[in-house]
Amino acid sequence: MAKVVRLLAVLLPLLPAALMAPAAAQPAQPAPPSWTGSWETAPSGTTAALPGAAFRNVVHLSVGGTAVRVRLSNRLGTRPLRLGAVTVALRGAAGPAALPGTLRTATFHGAPEVTVPPGADTVSDAVPLPVPPAADLLVTVYTPDDSGPATYHRTALQTSYLAPAGAGRAADEDGTAYTLTASRWYYVTGVDVRGPAAGSVVAFGDSLTDGNGSTPDTNRRWPDRLAQRLRGHRLGVLNAGIAGNRLLRDGTGPSALARLDADALDRAGARALVVFEGINDIKGTPQAYDPAAYADAYRTLVARAHARGIPVVGVTLTPYGGYPAWTPAGEEVRLRVNAFIRTGGAFDAVADADAAVRDPADPTRILPAYDPGDHLHFNDAGMAAVADTVHHALIDPHHAVAVAPHLSDGFTTPQTTG
């Protein structure tokens, strides 16, 4: 009970006044809508620039609003990045075509072009475009020059589109110029919405969060499934997973500790952080076999989030028996790290994904029904099981260590499918 009281003290000041006021109380004037993150991807590396091309990125929003703004990144670039045009539009039925009448030009301090310094991000001005929850948004970026290595997210699991001769094509509603497809997101790293959302949950992790193993072009990563479950609570979900990322050192992308602010704590409307990271440190090269190092890193992550008033859910590390890098020594580390996550007192709540997906007949392995075949990642059913576990830790008022049991007051948990 004392833990729940402490968690309420952390989270209650962050909730909109409308959620906290008694039913009979009415504010004198409604507060202006705030910005909330609706979609995110974390920069994971660079690839060669394509001067003169227009990249039409397809991104799937979690919550809706009356306006959007886009986040674009040259964080991993080495030269100034000139963005010659950026547009946003609701996607048509399929492919690269925009829904007629929805294409808008994004500006930056009122200008249609912007140059982003190396190592930096930029955010557009507000774009008046009503977007519904769970909408596909087209974010088109035209790069006229060779700006050096292009910051991108490698494992998109989403087909996007490319117009090799991109001059003037960012404003195309039809998709005929977008003759090539891409399985990566280029430059775009976030979409914020202005509207009634109560905030967002940041899913912070590695390939298990990035979505490896789930069906491409279907939005069945566990953060997507969590977004479905939280929609009735007006909470968005941001996916800050990077395949190959590590907790203790740089791997694919900067380490969890190095990227925490940019990819999680600094995101608009962040209300809770879910940390599901560490298995790559156990199975990677070099292997990290000191459980105390994991405990120290988790405590540091939590302390930095708490300094922003953001509670943290820790997710237990899931089995990987049968994966080529599995070893008995690594399994022992995983079990000891999980014991800390469950009982070490560092986290505000625990989502026991290990218990949810392991095979009772062989707890070193994932249940066959959740295994896409590599014995490490999750198929669509496994992703849904993880989402259910995280959702329970975040919302269920009967859960002993629920981060936000009060968020269920006055709301109905939405029906989910699949």
Side-chain angles (χ1 to χ4, degrees), residues 358-375:
R358 69 189 178 213
D359 185 350
D362 184 355
T364 69
R365 290 178 174 258
I366 301 167
L367 272 168
Y370 295 159
D371 189 347
D374 67 2
H375 314 303

Side-chain angles (χ1 to χ4, degrees), residues 31-386:
S34 58
W35 289 105
T36 293
S38 182
W39 174 86
E40 175 189 353
T41 196
S44 68
T46 61
T47 189
L50 292 175
F55 301 89
R56 182 153 282 184
N57 300 281
V58 179
V59 306
H60 188 69
L61 304 182
S62 55
V63 288
T66 58
V68 301
R69 65 184 186 186
V70 294
R71 295 170 176 263
L72 300 152
S73 184
N74 192 25
R75 194 187 309 170
L76 305 179
T78 57
R79 292 160 55 184
L81 168 65
R82 179 181 165 218
L83 303 177
V86 177
T87 63
V88 296
L90 288 171
R91 189 187 193 190
L99 186 67
T102 67
L103 193 139
R104 307 283 189 273
T105 296
T107 60
F108 302 84
H109 301 289
E113 293 192 15
V114 67
T115 298
V116 188
D121 297 346
T122 191
V123 180
S124 76
D125 302 329
V127 180
L129 175 65
V131 293
D136 280 350
L137 194 72
L138 305 177
V139 181
T140 305
V141 180
Y142 167 57
T143 53
D145 308 320
D146 184 353
S147 299
T151 296
Y152 80 137
H153 183 89
R154 182 184 61 187
T155 310
L157 297 174
Q158 172 67 61
T159 301
S160 290
Y161 302 90
L162 174 67
R169 296 304 185 182
D172 286 0
E173 281 193 343
D174 69 82
T176 55
Y178 292 85
T179 56
L180 302 178
T181 61
S183 59
R184 301 163 176 175
W185 286 306
Y186 291 86
Y187 302 111
V188 61
T189 60
V191 177
D192 301 335
V193 297
R194 175 180 279 164
S200 57
V201 175
V202 182
F204 191 72
D206 49 38
S207 59
L208 302 176
T209 298
D210 211 357
N212 293 49
S214 65
T215 303
D217 292 317
T218 62
N219 302 303
R220 293 179 181 172
R221 313 163 191 85
W222 74 256
D224 297 315
R225 296 302 187 95
L226 180 64
Q228 295 174 354
R229 287 148 177 77
L230 294 179
R231 199 162 294 140
H233 304 277
R234 299 189 287 114
L235 288 168
V237 176
L238 303 179
N239 189 334
I242 297 178
N245 200 232
R246 298 179 69 150
L247 177 69
L248 303 176
R249 63 170 60 225
D250 293 346
T252 302
S255 72
L257 290 171
R259 69 187 185 92
L260 179 64
D261 286 355
D263 290 342
L265 304 184
D266 291 345
R267 294 288 167 153
R271 295 291 180 261
L273 176 66
V274 180
V275 176
F276 188 12
E277 186 135 34
I279 200 67
N280 286 328
D281 298 86
I282 294 174
K283 70 175 186 61
T285 302
Q287 296 164 322
Y289 278 2
D290 180 9
Y294 294 81
D296 289 344
Y298 290 137
R299 289 192 186 100
T300 299
L301 287 170
V302 171
R304 287 169 58 185
H306 282 180
R308 304 281 196 97
I310 298 174
V312 186
V313 176
V315 184
T316 51
L317 305 183
T318 47
Y320 67 113
Y323 188 76
W326 185 91
T327 64
E331 177 67 10
E332 177 61 25
V333 174
R334 186 182 74 87
L335 295 177
R336 292 178 65 185
V337 170
N338 280 350
F340 173 80
I341 293 171
R342 291 186 183 105
T343 65
F347 294 100
D348 299 298
V350 173
D352 200 343
D354 172 41
V357 305
R358 69 189 178 213
D359 185 350
D362 184 355
T364 69
R365 290 178 174 258
I366 301 167
L367 272 168
Y370 295 159
D371 189 347
D374 67 2
H375 314 303
L376 171 66
H377 299 101
F378 311 124
N379 60 19
D380 296 347
M383 291 287 178
V386 174

